[in-house]
C-alpha cells in the first residue's frame, strides 16, 4: 500500500465555488503544511446563475464544463492537487434551488439514491483514508437541495466506511458564529460606499450561521487570505470579489472570512484551532 501523509482531510461540497467560499483558507493552510487535502464535489453546478454578461451564453453542460475549469484554477490557487467529481464528471446534475421543477429531474443530485451516491464517496474514503471530514449540516447550510443531499451522502458514507474498516476520527460541519458574522457585516456597512456592490446581504443570508456556543473549532487561515480570494475569483461565473468582500449573482455584498469555523459533530471538543487536534496518523485504522 502506498504510504499516506500523516494528516488527511476530505471535504464534500455540492458545487464548484462552495469549497472556496466555505473552506478556502482552511484548504490552503493544510495543503501548505503538507497534509493531503481531498475535495469531492457532487455536481458541476450546471444550473448556476452566471454573473459576467460575456459568459451568460453558458448554460447546462457547457456551463458545467466551464465551471470545472474554474474549479481546476481555484484548486491551483489553494495548492490542492486531489479534487474529484462524485462518480465522475456529469454523474449527478445540479438540482436548482429548492422548490423549482429542476428538483424533479431524475438526473439531479436531489433525486439520487443516497446509498448509491454514498457508496461512490465511500470508495474515495477507503482510498485516501482521511482522519477528518468536513461537510454541511442537515439543512445544507441554507436549504439548497444539493447541499442537503451532500450532507446526507457524506454522513452515510462515514457509516459505510466504518463498516468497511475505516473510521473517520473527526467529522465537522461548516459553521459561522453569529457574533463574528455581525462584526464582519458591520465593517462591510462602513465600507459599502466604496465597493462595486449596491447593497449588503444580511447575516442570516450566510450559510451555517449559529450561536457562538455551537462552535468547537476556529481555523486561522489569515496567512492564506490572498489564496482564498484568488480561488474565489477563479469562480468568475459565480463570484465577484472586491477586496475583502464578494457577491454572488444576487449582487449582495458579503465579507470574505479567513478564519473559518466548524462544529465537531462526532466527539467532544471546544476551543480547537486545528481540525486534527487530538488525533495521530494511525487514527481511523481498523482495530
Amino acid at each position: 500500500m502506498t504510504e499516506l501523509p500523516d494528516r488527511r482531510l476530505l471535504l464534500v461540497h455540492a458545487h464548484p465555488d462552495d469549497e472556496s467560499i466555505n473552506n478556502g483558507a482552511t484548504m490552503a493552510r493544510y495543503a501548505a503544511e503538507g497534509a493531503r487535502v481531498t475535495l469531492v464535489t457532487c455536481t458541476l453546478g450546471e444550473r448556476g446563475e452566471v454573473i459576467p454578461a460575456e459568459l451568460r451564453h453558458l448554460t447546462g453542460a457547457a456551463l458545467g464544463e466551464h465551471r470545472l475549469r474554474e474549479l481546476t484554477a481555484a484548486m491551483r490557487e489553494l495548492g490542492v492537487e486531489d479534487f474529484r467529481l462524485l462518480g465522475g464528471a456529469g454523474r449527478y446534475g445540479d438540482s436548482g434551488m429548492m422548490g423549482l421543477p429542476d428538483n424533479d429531474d431524475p438526473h439531479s443530485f436531489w433525486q439520487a439514491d443516497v446509498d448509491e451516491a454514498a457508496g461512490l464517496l465511500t470508495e474515495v474514503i477507503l482510498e485516501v483514508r482521511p482522519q477528518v471530514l468536513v461537510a454541511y449540516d442537515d439543512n445544507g447550510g441554507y436549504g439548497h437541495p444539493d447541499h442537503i443531499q451532500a450532507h446526507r451522502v457524506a454522513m452515510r458514507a462515514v457509516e459505510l466506511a466504518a463498516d468497511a474498516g475505516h473510521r473517520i476520527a473527526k467529522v465537522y460541519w461548516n459553521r459561522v458564529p453569529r457574533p463574528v458574522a455581525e462584526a464582519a457585516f458591520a465593517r462591510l456597512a462602513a465600507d459599502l460606499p466604496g465597493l462595486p456592490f449596491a447593497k449588503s446581504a444580511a447575516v442570516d443570508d450566510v450559510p451555517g450561521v449559529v450561536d457562538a456556543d455551537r462552535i468547537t473549532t476556529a481555523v486561522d487561515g489569515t496567512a492564506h487570505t490572498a489564496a482564498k480570494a484568488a480561488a474565489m475569483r477563479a469562480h468568475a461565473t459565480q463570484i465577484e470579489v472586491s477586496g475583502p468582500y464578494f457577491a454572488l449573482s444576487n449582487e449582495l455584498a458579503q465579507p470574505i472570512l479567513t478564519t473559518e469555523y466548524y462544529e465537531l459533530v462526532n466527539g467532544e471538543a471546544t476551543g480547537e484551532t486545528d481540525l486534527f487536534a487530538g488525533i495521530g496518523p494511525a487514527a481511523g485504522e481498523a482495530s
Side-chain angles (χ1 to χ4, degrees):
M1 180 182 294
T2 303
E3 185 174 350
L4 295 169
D6 286 345
R7 296 187 298 169
R8 304 177 298 279
L9 168 64
L10 173 66
L11 305 99
V12 180
H13 277 287
H15 316 103
D17 81 354
D18 293 324
E19 81 296 324
S20 296
I21 295 169
N22 285 276
N23 310 114
T26 298
M27 294 171 73
R29 170 181 159 174
Y30 285 114
E33 291 178 356
R36 177 168 183 167
V37 178
T38 300
L39 169 68
V40 175
T41 305
C42 297
T43 83
L44 286 171
E46 303 93 334
R47 300 188 189 276
E49 296 182 8
V50 176
I51 295 173
E54 65 273 17
L55 296 176
R56 288 179 191 159
H57 64 282
L58 294 171
T59 60
L63 177 57
E65 291 172 4
H66 188 90
R67 292 189 69 178
L68 179 55
R69 291 193 291 272
E70 291 181 337
L71 179 62
T72 301
M75 293 303 95
R76 188 162 52 245
E77 297 291 352
L78 298 180
V80 173
E81 297 180 357
D82 185 9
F83 57 99
R84 310 160 184 225
L85 279 301
L86 183 65
R91 178 65 176 264
Y92 297 111
D94 187 341
S95 307
M97 298 301 288
M98 185 66 82
L100 295 179
D102 301 331
N103 304 164
D104 299 325
D105 184 341
H107 179 61
S108 71
F109 189 47
W110 185 238
Q111 295 296 327
D113 180 87
V114 170
D115 275 355
E116 177 188 77
L120 295 171
L121 182 57
T122 301
E123 293 176 8
V124 179
I125 292 172
L126 296 178
E127 175 192 341
V128 304
R129 307 188 77 76
Q131 300 126 318
V132 176
L133 181 141
V134 171
Y136 309 119
D137 66 13
D138 56 1
N139 190 45
Y142 72 111
H144 190 294
D146 287 331
H147 287 242
I148 295 171
Q149 189 77 317
H151 160 84
R152 294 171 178 169
V153 167
M155 300 307 289
R156 180 60 176 142
V158 170
E159 296 174 346
L160 293 176
D163 291 343
H166 180 74
R167 186 183 65 83
I168 297 176
K170 302 177 83 172
V171 177
Y172 292 94
W173 290 347
N174 291 297
R175 293 299 191 195
V176 178
R178 186 170 295 278
V180 168
E182 289 172 345
F185 273 91
R187 293 191 296 272
L188 168 58
D191 292 343
L192 191 60
L195 296 176
F197 313 120
K199 296 181 179 180
S200 170
V203 167
D204 287 331
D205 293 328
V206 177
V209 171
V210 293
D211 293 340
D213 61 3
R214 296 283 296 274
I215 305 300
T216 60
T217 313
V219 175
D220 184 356
T222 52
H224 304 280
T225 296
K228 175 168 180 170
M232 291 174 64
R233 198 174 290 113
H235 290 289
T237 60
Q238 307 300 304
I239 305 173
E240 182 180 356
V241 175
S242 180
Y245 304 106
F246 75 101
L248 303 173
S249 60
N250 59 13
E251 300 181 351
L252 300 177
Q254 298 186 45
I256 298 175
L257 301 179
T258 52
T259 294
E260 294 168 343
Y261 299 87
Y262 302 91
E263 178 182 0
L264 181 66
V265 295
N266 69 338
E268 293 185 7
T270 187
E272 293 182 325
T273 58
D274 179 6
L275 296 178
F276 293 91
I279 59 176
E285 299 306 313
S287 58

